[in-house]
Amino acid sequence: AQSVTQPDIHITVSEGASLELRCNYSYGATPYLFWYVQSPGQGLQLLLKYFSGDTLVQGIKGFEAEFKRSQSSFNLRKPSVHWSDAAEYFCAVLAPAGNKLTFGGGTRVLVKP
Amino acid sequence: DTGVSQNPRHKITKRGQNVTFRCDPISEHNRLYWYRQTLGQGPEFLTYFQNEAQLEKSRLLSDRFSAERPKGSFSTLEIQRTEQGDSAMYLCASSGGSYNSPLHFGNGTRLTVT
C-alpha cells in the first residue's frame, strides 16, 4: 500500500529565513504528488503538484518542490519565509489511476519574528 | 466558483446521538470525497463519489457511517450512535475533469462527541 512520510512534525523558522519540508513516499510506481497547506480552522489549499516532466515545480505563495525519483522524495521549499506562512503543511500522493489522495502526517511550521 | 461549502462548521453532540453533515461541492465537479482529520494527523480517506455513485469506501467507514450523494450534487455524511472516538474534523473535497485533478477542500465540520 502506498504511504507518505513527513519526518518533521514541527519546524520553527525565523521570518526571512529559508524553509525546507521533507516528504518521502512509498509506492511501486511514481505517483502523482501534491503539497497542501492548512491554516488553523481551515480546509486544505493546494500549493503545487507534480505529475511528470520538469522535476522542479513552482507553486503559489513562492513555494517550490523538487521531485527526486532516486530518493522517493518530494521536498517543499521557500527561499524566504513570511509570518503568514505559519501553518500546517501536508504532502499527498495519488496512485496512477487511483481514486484517493493519501496524506502524510503533516509538518507544523512556526515562524519567529 | 464559490468553493466547497460544508455545514455546520461545528457540531457538539452527546454520545449515542446521530449527526448529519452536509457538503455542497463546486457546481461543475463530478467527484466528491469525504476525509476525516484528527488532531495532529493528516486527513484520512473515508469515501468517494463520482456523480451519484459511491465508488469506494474506506475500512475506516464502519457501519455506523453512511454517505449519500443524491442526484450527484450535494452530499451528506451521517454518523449513527456517535462515540467519543468519532470526534474529529470531517472534510469534504471535490474535483472535476480528469481523475488526477487537484482536490478543492471545504473548511470542514468539527465534531465533538461528549
Side-chain angles (χ1 to χ4, degrees):
Chain A
Q2 61 199 49
S3 66
V4 185
T5 302
Q6 294 181 244
D8 305 302
I9 297 175
H10 293 100
I11 284 183
T12 299
V13 61
S14 296
E15 191 168 15
S18 64
L19 174 68
E20 181 167 10
L21 305 182
R22 295 183 291 164
C23 172
N24 294 96
Y25 66 89
S26 173
Y27 190 69
T30 299
Y32 301 114
L33 298 158
F34 304 80
W35 275 99
Y36 283 82
V37 60
Q38 185 178 34
S39 298
Q42 302 295 313
L44 285 76
Q45 180 184 21
L46 178 71
L47 286 176
L48 46 76
K49 61 184 185 289
Y50 173 78
F51 289 173
S52 65
D54 192 346
T55 56
L56 185 64
V57 293
Q58 302 297 319
I60 63 171
K61 305 186 180 189
F63 284 92
E64 65 180 25
E66 185 172 14
F67 168 64
K68 292 187 178 179
R69 184 189 308 274
S70 61
Q71 298 176 18
S72 296
S73 69
F74 188 55
N75 293 350
L76 182 72
R77 298 193 294 252
K78 185 167 184 176
S80 177
V81 169
H82 187 262
W83 64 266
S84 60
D85 294 322
E88 189 144 24
Y89 292 80
F90 294 96
C91 182
V93 302
L94 174 68
N99 287 327
K100 61 180 186 283
L101 279 183
T102 300
F103 286 86
T107 298
R108 180 167 296 280
V109 173
L110 303 175
V111 180
K112 293 190 302 184
Chain B
D1 179 358
T2 57
V4 178
S5 176
Q6 292 189 246
N7 288 288
R9 288 297 309 273
H10 303 274
K11 179 70 177 179
I12 300 174
T13 191
K14 293 186 176 180
R15 189 177 53 190
Q17 297 295 305
N18 299 344
V19 294
T20 299
F21 311 140
R22 178 180 170 120
C23 171
D24 288 274
I26 293 172
S27 58
E28 63 269 25
H29 285 181
N30 59 345
R31 296 183 183 81
L32 187 147
Y33 304 77
W34 285 98
Y35 281 80
R36 181 171 66 188
Q37 185 178 23
T38 53
L39 204 60
Q41 301 295 318
E44 297 173 295
F45 171 81
L46 291 179
T47 190
Y48 155 66
F49 290 85
Q50 184 158 326
N51 299 311
E52 66 275 10
Q54 188 174 20
L55 297 186
E56 189 168 347
K57 290 169 60 173
S58 165
R59 286 169 296 187
L60 292 174
L61 214 65
S62 77
D63 56 5
R64 296 184 298 105
F65 287 70
S66 62
E68 294 182 341
R69 193 184 183 196
K71 305 177 183 177
S73 56
F74 72 92
S75 176
T76 57
L77 178 68
E78 181 183 17
I79 309 174
Q80 296 183 326
R81 306 181 303 282
T82 53
E83 302 172 356
Q84 287 188 321
D86 297 331
S87 295
M89 175 78 88
Y90 290 84
L91 295 166
C92 177
S94 69
S95 72
S98 61
Y99 77 94
N100 57 2
S101 297
L103 271 58
H104 297 255
F105 282 85
N107 287 335
T109 294
R110 179 166 296 284
L111 173 66
T112 303
V113 182
T114 61

